[in-house]
Amino acid sequence: MPQIFKRPTSLKDVQTHFCSGCHHGTIHRLVAEAMDEFGVQGRAIGIASVGCSVFLYSYFDIDVVEAPHGRAPAVATGVKRARPGSFVFTYQGDGDLAAIGTSEIIHAANRGEDITVIFVNNTTYGMTGGQMAPTTMVGQRTSTSPYGRMKEKDGAPLRMAELLAQLEGVSFSARVAVNSPRNLMDAKKQIKTAFRYQVEGKGFSFIEALSACPTNWGMKPLQANERVGTELCDYFRLGVYKNIMEL
Amino acid sequence: MTKRLFVKGNEAVAMAAIEAGCRYYFGYPITPQSDIPEYMSAELPRLGGEFIQAESEIAAVNMLLGASATGVRAMTSSSGPGISLKQEGISYMAGSELPGVIVDIARSGPGLGGIDASQADYFQAVKGGGHGGYHIIVLAPASVQEMYDLTMLAFDLADIYRMPAMILSDSVIGQMKEALIPNRRPEAELPSKEWAVRGKGEGDQRIVKSLYLGDGELEAHNWKLHNRYCELKEKECRWEAFRTEDADLLVTAFGSCARIAKTAIMLAREEGLKVGLLRPVTLFPFPAAAYEELTSRCKKILDIELNAGQMIEDVRLSVSPDTEVFFYGRPPGTGSLPTPEELLEQIRKHY
Ligand SMILES: Cc1ncc(C[n+]2csc(CCOP(=O)(O)OP(=O)(O)O)c2C)c(N)n1
Ligand code: SF4
């Protein structure tokens, strides 16, 4: 019987530490599938960030460098400039990329580094116990916004896919979600496009993936999944914000 | 005929890095080290390398981390406030066992301070300036020639011991022009970098990381690093002993301060005072044995620094018992650089 579904070669055959209902695992899988499809596993160098995805090397069967919190785009810059033939991607959470690492992401993007950034937006600091993130929704209660995020005091959630799309150096920027089969298929397609930019040496590509964190949202997995499709998708609109070559 | 050049200390660092095979430089402007990025920005593209003016010193040191992780020779440089920003990355590099060269053309502080010569960043450099209890190799040149030779050595030591190496200098040596013999890169037996991430190809995955969560893992990792520091102390201490054979008073100083001290010692010798200089070239590893040995005969040592007393702690820990240890130093700032006559006065006082 022909096999129609299998574990991507770029993923290891191990159990993940992610909570049930967490989307990190699904996003890992899509990234691994896309790597397999482009045949880049052997020359891939992943840059792990600090957050729930820090164990990138435990799940992906590729070379990995672990970056300090927020600095993955700078580390990726050093890696890619030193080894232009490699396939380099960062995998970062919203605290990592949109708070402590805003300087590094903006400038790597603006330089048009030939790398891909996978940005996982779960509107909270997952690893440290659900504190407020720069992407936390207005009104959302977290362990450091017990009365809900206040726009007047905390600012409004940052929309990174739109923000980065404005930079000249960015070739591709899209926001995706993996909460439904339809969104998942589309997410796969956009991740592949982002990778194609790098494989063809066409510059900086950015994927923002909305992601559920049931543990820190205080929700059941199904509820959390639903929140992504409703509340999050309402503010963080899915779509392609930049695609300079229409790849 | 040997070629002789007339260059600035900062230029000598950049030239030596290139001679040592460094083709990747990441930096951010700050006085008094900007000659280094300026030189690299002109030369590296011609050599097929990469120069990036980073958005900050934080980004620069992380670019260094990334480049070094692939196994190439790479460098960053800065001063005072910029070196403070690099400490996070230096700690990660130390934890991840990554080589890489960091040049600190120190300036006066704290805060924005000033741009005068300073040795007030001795603690920051040699005691592990970031978090976690680590060390890096620290070399202290006292001439333009040493800026050159020690930069090449820094690359070799960093590769051999898989840890960051720092050139700790200041504006006196960095901005001064002197004759330089541009020596060829010395032959060195260097380990191959199988640990480097280059894409796993058909082989096994390689990981460059500093996170160790398993029971006992981090402790074992730290013992491994600690043992490497012990090995460095055993094998790599370097120092200069100048007219110490018959000395009744030893003077000790490093870097630019040691030059002023040397002049003062020669003035003292003219007066018939038997004074010698012990100049540590490696600040980490600190040449403790040299102090112990020299002070087992000469029981008086005067430590002079361009700060209010930092290396003095290591001197006190290293001298043989019953040695009298004196200190003279002034915190850095415009007008605080001591003159040879001022130091001669101190020599007379403690002789
Ligand atoms: C300099 C520094 N500050 C703070 C931390 C603590 N810290 C670890 S992970 C994290 C945030 C993680 O959140 P996010 O990036 O959103 O990723 P997630 O865990 O949600 O996937 C923080 C603040 C750190 N490791 N380093
Ligand atoms: S804390 Fe949140 S982001 Fe982290 S693994 Fe659990 S669900 Fe995922």
Side-chain angles (χ1 to χ4, degrees):
Chain A
M1 215 166 60
Q3 190 177 12
I4 56 163
F5 190 77
K6 64 176 177 60
R7 179 177 51 79
T9 329
S10 300
L11 267 194
K12 294 186 187 175
D13 189 8
V14 292
Q15 254 190 350
T16 72
H17 71 286
F18 301 122
C19 312
S20 44
C22 179
H23 287 175
H24 267 306
T26 316
I27 299 163
H28 273 40
R29 185 185 166 98
L30 295 186
V31 169
E33 284 178 359
M35 265 196 287
D36 281 7
E37 285 167 35
F38 283 108
V40 294
Q41 179 185 9
R43 61 186 176 95
I45 301 175
I47 315 297
S49 64
V50 182
C52 282
S53 56
V54 67
F55 296 116
L56 206 68
Y57 45 79
S58 302
Y59 307 134
F60 285 94
D61 189 16
I62 58 170
D63 279 6
V64 173
V65 185
E66 174 194 273
H69 195 24
R71 320 296 177 216
V75 173
T77 298
V79 169
K80 185 76 183 198
R81 296 287 185 113
R83 286 195 74 75
S86 47
F87 179 85
V88 180
F89 71 95
T90 73
Y91 187 108
Q92 305 174 253
D94 42 30
D96 193 88
L97 182 139
I100 196 167
T102 33
S103 175
E104 285 77 12
I105 186 62
I106 296 233
H107 289 278
N110 197 51
R111 285 190 301 267
E113 295 295 340
D114 219 348
I115 60 172
T116 305
V117 171
I118 307 290
F119 167 49
V120 177
N121 175 2
N122 59 13
T123 75
T124 190
Y125 285 55
M127 188 189 232
T128 40
Q131 293 83 6
M132 184 175 68
T135 46
T136 294
M137 299 296 288
V138 171
Q140 183 178 336
R141 287 170 198 270
T142 71
S143 58
T144 50
S145 58
Y147 309 109
R149 180 183 185 134
M150 292 176 224
K151 192 174 166 183
E152 315 71 54
K153 178 164 94 64
D154 306 316
L158 277 172
R159 293 186 178 101
M160 291 308 294
E162 290 88 326
L163 196 147
L164 291 177
Q166 297 170 33
L167 302 177
E168 293 275 332
V170 173
S171 299
F172 182 78
S173 175
R175 183 180 293 113
V176 303
V178 295
N179 62 316
S180 67
R182 190 166 162 267
N183 282 348
L184 189 120
M185 301 297 270
D186 189 57
K188 172 75 182 291
K189 184 175 151 221
Q190 305 307 351
I191 290 172
K192 279 189 70 177
T193 310
F195 280 9
R196 172 160 289 128
Y197 270 96
Q198 187 179 169
V199 168
E200 295 186 4
K202 301 265 166 56
F204 185 92
S205 51
F206 183 79
I207 292 285
E208 173 171 344
L210 300 181
S211 183
C213 177
T215 305
N216 288 305
W217 293 356
M219 290 179 176
K220 296 222 165 71
L222 272 180
Q223 248 184 313
N225 200 59
E226 210 172 289
R227 178 181 182 238
V228 171
T230 52
E231 197 190 338
L232 263 54
C233 281
D234 209 36
Y235 181 85
F236 297 110
R237 312 294 296 192
L238 304 187
V240 176
Y241 291 94
K242 196 164 191 186
N243 188 356
I244 54 161
M245 317 196 73
E246 303 290 333
L247 287 188
Chain B
M1 212 180 73
T2 339
K3 187 164 76 166
R4 265 158 71 100
L5 306 173
F6 187 57
V7 298
K8 273 188 179 184
N10 284 344
E11 288 163 351
V13 167
M15 291 166 61
I18 289 171
E19 174 62 24
C22 167
R23 293 292 177 272
Y24 302 91
Y25 174 91
F26 314 100
Y28 188 86
I30 186 169
T31 308
Q33 62 82 54
S34 295
D35 317 271
I36 301 175
E38 284 165 12
Y39 191 97
M40 292 308 231
S41 68
E43 293 302 317
L44 287 180
R46 282 197 264 224
L47 296 165
E50 291 277 349
F51 165 88
I52 300 183
Q53 179 164 326
E55 59 272 28
S56 69
E57 289 86 350
I58 298 177
V61 75
N62 282 291
M63 291 173 189
L64 173 68
L65 186 158
S68 289
T70 71
V72 300
R73 286 191 158 184
M75 181 169 96
T76 186
S77 63
S78 190
S79 182
I83 295 290
S84 291
L85 286 182
K86 289 189 197 293
Q87 295 302 335
E88 178 196 50
I90 296 173
S91 168
Y92 273 76
M93 288 179 71
S96 306
E97 299 174 77
L98 284 178
V101 171
I102 299 127
V103 181
D104 182 357
I105 307 298
R107 52 187 267 165
S108 42
L112 197 50
I115 56 172
D116 313 86
S118 165
Q119 296 186 330
D121 292 341
Y122 177 91
F123 280 153
Q124 187 194 43
V126 307
K127 305 294 179 188
H131 62 283
Y134 63 92
H135 286 285
I136 60 173
I137 295 156
V138 183
L139 308 178
S143 64
V144 169
Q145 186 68 51
E146 272 194 350
M147 287 289 251
Y148 186 93
D149 294 335
L150 293 182
T151 298
M152 291 201 288
L153 178 67
F155 277 102
D156 283 349
L157 291 179
D159 279 351
I160 293 167
Y161 292 92
R162 275 186 71 179
M163 56 194 275
M166 177 179 275
I167 297 292
L168 180 64
S169 186
D170 60 27
S171 52
V172 169
I173 311 289
Q175 293 297 328
M176 170 175 83
K177 273 194 171 185
E178 273 185 329
L180 169 76
I181 299 172
N183 294 319
R184 297 304 303 271
R185 174 177 172 177
E187 296 276 325
E189 218 174 288
L190 299 171
S192 73
K193 298 182 173 178
E194 304 99 25
W195 48 266
V197 293
R198 292 167 172 147
K200 73 191 263 294
E202 301 296 312
D204 288 336
Q205 174 193 39
R206 278 153 306 190
I207 305 166
V208 170
K209 68 170 178 119
S210 61
L211 179 72
Y212 292 94
L213 292 181
D215 196 13
E217 263 181 31
L218 186 57
E219 184 183 352
H221 177 63
N222 270 304
W223 279 124
K224 181 169 90 172
L225 297 181
H226 180 81
N227 290 337
R228 209 169 290 163
Y229 305 147
C230 293
E231 193 186 335
L232 269 165
K233 287 180 193 173
E234 220 168 274
K235 296 190 190 155
E236 305 295 349
C237 288
R238 287 167 171 79
W239 66 90
E240 180 200 4
F242 170 74
R243 306 203 64 175
T244 53
E245 312 77 34
D246 62 342
D248 291 329
L249 172 70
L250 277 178
V251 170
T252 185
F254 71 94
S256 59
C257 187
R259 291 176 70 112
I260 311 172
K262 211 178 214 178
T263 309
I265 286 165
M266 290 191 293
L267 294 174
R269 286 270 172 183
E270 281 171 22
E271 292 181 9
L273 305 180
K274 290 185 191 159
V275 191
L277 175 74
L278 172 51
R279 175 174 72 91
V281 172
T282 53
L283 299 182
F284 189 89
F286 192 71
Y291 282 85
E292 145 106 271
E293 197 197 307
L294 286 176
T295 54
S296 64
R297 193 190 53 72
C298 173
K299 303 306 288 180
K300 287 204 285 191
I301 186 164
L302 166 63
D303 173 40
I304 305 175
E305 303 178 45
L306 304 185
N307 60 47
Q310 297 193 7
M311 184 176 78
I312 183 81
E313 296 187 1
D314 291 321
V315 172
R316 281 210 184 96
L317 287 170
S318 307
V319 293
S320 75
D322 309 324
T323 304
E324 275 189 282
V325 182
F326 308 107
F327 176 75
Y328 183 74
R330 290 167 64 179
T334 307
S336 80
L337 196 66
T339 60
E341 291 71 26
E342 189 177 337
L343 299 189
L344 177 61
E345 203 51 48
Q346 293 298 315
I347 290 171
R348 287 199 199 108
K349 182 170 153 194
H350 297 294
Y351 189 74

